[in-house]
Amino acid sequence: MTAAPHSDDDNLPGGPPELLGEFGEFGGRYVAETLMPAVEELARAWPKAWADYTFVDEYRAILRDYVGRPTPLTEARRLPEAVGGGRIFLKREDLNHTGAHKINNCIGQVLLARRLGKTRIIAETGAGQHGVATATACAYFGMPCTVYMGAEDVSRQALNVVRMRLLGAEVRPVTSGSATLKDAINAALRDWVASVADTHYVIGSVMGPDPYPLMVRELQRVIGDEARAQILDRIGRLPDAAVACVGGGSNAMGLFAAFVPDAAVQLFGVEATGEGLQGRHAATMAKGRIGVFHGMRSLVLQTDDGQLLEAHSISAGLDYPGIGPEHAHLHATGRARYLGISDREALAATELLARTEGIIPALETAHAIAALPAVIRELGPEAVVIVNVSGRGDKDMHTVMTHLDPATLTLIEEAERGRKAARAAHQAAAGHEGEEALIVDGHELRAERKEGA
Amino acid sequence: MSAGVDRVTDAFARARAENRAALVGYLTGFDPDRNGSLERIFAACEGGLDVLELGVPFSDPTADGPTIQAAMTRALASGATLSGALALAAEIRRRFELPIVLFSYANPLISYGPERLSRETAEAGADALLVVDLPPEHAEVLRGPASARGLGWVGLVAPTTTPARRARVLAGSSGFVYAVSLTGVTGAPLDPSDPALHAGLATLRGASSLPIVVGFGVRKAEDVRALAGHADGVVVGSALVEAGQRGPAALGELVKSLRGGTLRA
């Protein structure tokens, strides 16, 4: 077990890294020899930095003054009625600068990179949220930044590409393999193999070779540490459960880290079952097998022959065929349980949280919301539950519009037709039955009018 | 007739007796398809390879450059599997005596089962394993069963490797040691006359009695010539894969020309 001691503001969190960062039988450093010295350097430097008050104070000051921490713990007012009861507290990571929890990790890692004398940052991104957060941290510190992004995702998430470029980052589309997140990570690893002398790779989740899973958890545990203190302050006791969505698993590990030692707090991770377990999905816990991938030993979606499978989720942030090794460990030991939520259920939960609480969650987050009825059913209507609202939904509006609500599209199209018709009518009334009306109504009308004239 | 790690050792001894570096050639099994890859491998062996590195495709080859990535993608698309690659090795063994080193990544090999992999590798007549993402810290899971079957284990030393790590890699290696010539992926540009590279090879030779084989970025006979005096063997990979795309004849020609570069002055 890798449970870190509790921390308060003046107490440094985190235990010593285990041998090779193993979480039970998971973890490790499965990378090419060229990268091993850099990974060892990180593994030595990280605990020193995290035990150094100068470093931690600077990290916390930036989280406070720039990121906007602490984030609120909002008690849901109308959501409980819709999910079978409970007192539900929403940890508002959506209110961070850049709109998600990702920035907590990026600030810490870029700060560490500076301390190591690295002069260039690389990162991978799927939906673009980690890319935007890394680009933001690099702009803040004045570091050059290159973000690898699958070519598929570049076209699906064009707005985030614009954001990254606006922030001064170079975005390199990756066309190899399936041209999605896993291939972006492959490309970033290849860059790092060649640039390791001056470059730090900011991995975006609790995955990859040791010390990344441990380091990213510690940089995200501010979520759980705050939530734990907030709930104790608010209701004078610990929650019955903590719930978070899991792709690689960083927002969940950040929340769980503070509660792992509290045996009475049940931990629920929520993974994406996509179109269903018989179809395309990203359900690593339900369908994965132990494997070695992206530098770690963990559960992996793979063929019988050890080739990686493509994951699918409507939420690009959960669309990953692996999972952080500490989650695999929490799963294997039974300390945390993992539920599955489909694309369709996540879309419905997006709408539910929007309408009951006035909060539009990211599609990733919506998976955690959608799991609440099952959690409340099990724990009872008196249960106190903290759910991590890992990010806001602005980035997903296009997906929501095309999937959730075709009625919105119809509404927009009707409005557009109405606007044009009104304009045509207005022009006709004003006596210029000209081009505008004719173009809208087509050539036949033009011909008719000519004949009639 | 020797097999396993002994066959590897003998191949380097023969080359040394002829005062030349051994020519080690990499090709991906099932690229472009099963029979196409066999034709190409046969042509390369006939052209004069001393050691064959047979690539077992993996979906996510993070240590490889674009050429070998694409070869592995083509191979998987044409139905490559690990057992298929072992069957290829057996067919190659029926026609050629040269040592065969299976080159791959940890996941497909471990997923197959270390015991089963080692047994079937030995039965197929392949002689050693080279697993790029299995550093000495994690190697035992495959190295142990492989050694028990008499197979060699090829460790890698990179330009970034510290002396302490180098000792660990060497302690776990048998057959030969792979000296990565550059800080980068396979097929990246290399200056084969770089004095720092030569110095690194000399240091490595001083630290081990195993044959030292240098690879990554070696493309032409001149490159091989520039390195032949500094190592016991030279690996050519991406350039062979590219020549193979022009057909078995072009590949055979390139191997002949590379072989000409192995003679030491």
Side-chain angles (χ1 to χ4, degrees), chain A residues 223-287:
Chain A
I223 302 170
D225 287 342
E226 283 178 9
R228 194 173 186 281
Q230 285 165 325
I231 196 84
L232 287 175
D233 183 54
R234 196 79 57 86
I235 65 169
R237 73 166 180 97
L238 290 172
D240 299 300
V243 183
C245 64
V246 180
S250 69
N251 91 79
M253 256 347 289
L255 179 65
F256 292 176
F259 296 107
V260 162
D262 302 314
V265 180
Q266 297 203 41
L267 307 175
F268 291 93
V270 185
E271 63 180 1
T273 57
E275 296 167 351
L277 290 179
Q278 309 313 316
R280 302 187 306 149
H281 61 80
T284 313
M285 290 298 190
K287 291 288 185 178

Side-chain angles (χ1 to χ4, degrees), chain A residues 98 100 102 124-133 147-150 152-164 171 179-182 184-185 313-320 362-364 392-396 399:
Chain A
T98 71
K102 293 287 185 187
E124 84 290 343
T125 199
Q129 293 306 100
H130 174 60
V132 167
V147 179
Y148 289 90
M149 187 171 189
E152 280 289 316
D153 292 329
V154 167
S155 58
R156 283 193 293 197
Q157 306 284 342
L159 278 179
N160 272 340
V161 175
V162 176
R163 289 170 82 194
M164 287 185 271
V171 179
T180 59
L181 175 59
K182 86 175 170 66
I185 295 172
S313 167
I314 193 169
S315 125
L318 304 184
D319 195 349
Y320 180 65
L363 282 171
E364 291 82 2
R392 68 178 186 225
D394 307 39
K395 69 187 175 63
D396 296 318
T399 310

Side-chain angles (χ1 to χ4, degrees), chain A residues 107-144:
Chain A
I107 294 289
Q109 281 202 47
V110 177
L111 208 50
L112 181 67
R114 275 206 327 180
R115 184 180 164 106
L116 291 173
K118 306 285 182 181
T119 53
R120 172 176 175 261
I121 295 294
I122 57 173
E124 84 290 343
T125 199
Q129 293 306 100
H130 174 60
V132 167
T134 307
T136 300
C138 287
Y140 182 87
F141 288 110
M143 298 266 272

Side-chain angles (χ1 to χ4, degrees), chain A residues 29 40 182 186 190 292 307, chain B residues 59-61 107 138 160 165:
Chain A
R29 292 178 195 152
E40 287 183 339
K182 86 175 170 66
N186 292 344
R190 290 184 188 113
V292 172
Q307 309 296 340
Chain B
S59 52
D60 296 79
N107 199 54
H138 294 305
T160 51
R165 291 198 55 79

Side-chain angles (χ1 to χ4, degrees), chain A residues 9-21:
Chain A
D9 274 351
D10 299 309
N11 192 5
L12 289 165
E18 297 73 10
L19 176 69
L20 291 179

Side-chain angles (χ1 to χ4, degrees), chain B residues 56-155:
Chain B
V56 177
F58 179 47
S59 52
D60 296 79
T62 51
D64 282 300
T67 299
I68 294 179
Q69 282 171 49
M72 288 190 166
T73 303
R74 286 193 296 272
L76 288 171
S78 67
T81 59
L82 179 47
S83 59
L86 289 169
L88 281 189
E91 289 205 38
I92 299 161
R93 176 56 66 232
R94 280 198 276 282
R95 291 184 53 160
F96 296 95
E97 262 308 303
L98 86 175
I100 302 171
V101 179
L102 289 189
F103 167 102
S104 194
Y105 287 77
N107 199 54
L109 301 189
I110 294 174
S111 167
Y112 200 68
E115 290 293 340
R116 177 185 174 205
L117 171 76
S118 301
R119 186 181 69 245
E120 293 184 13
T121 300
E123 284 168 3
D127 306 293
L129 301 178
L130 195 172
V131 190
V132 273
D133 57 349
L134 213 48
E137 289 83 344
H138 294 305
E140 197 48 35
V141 58
L142 286 181
R143 187 176 54 204
S147 304
R149 296 277 171 182
L151 300 173
W153 182 268
V154 180

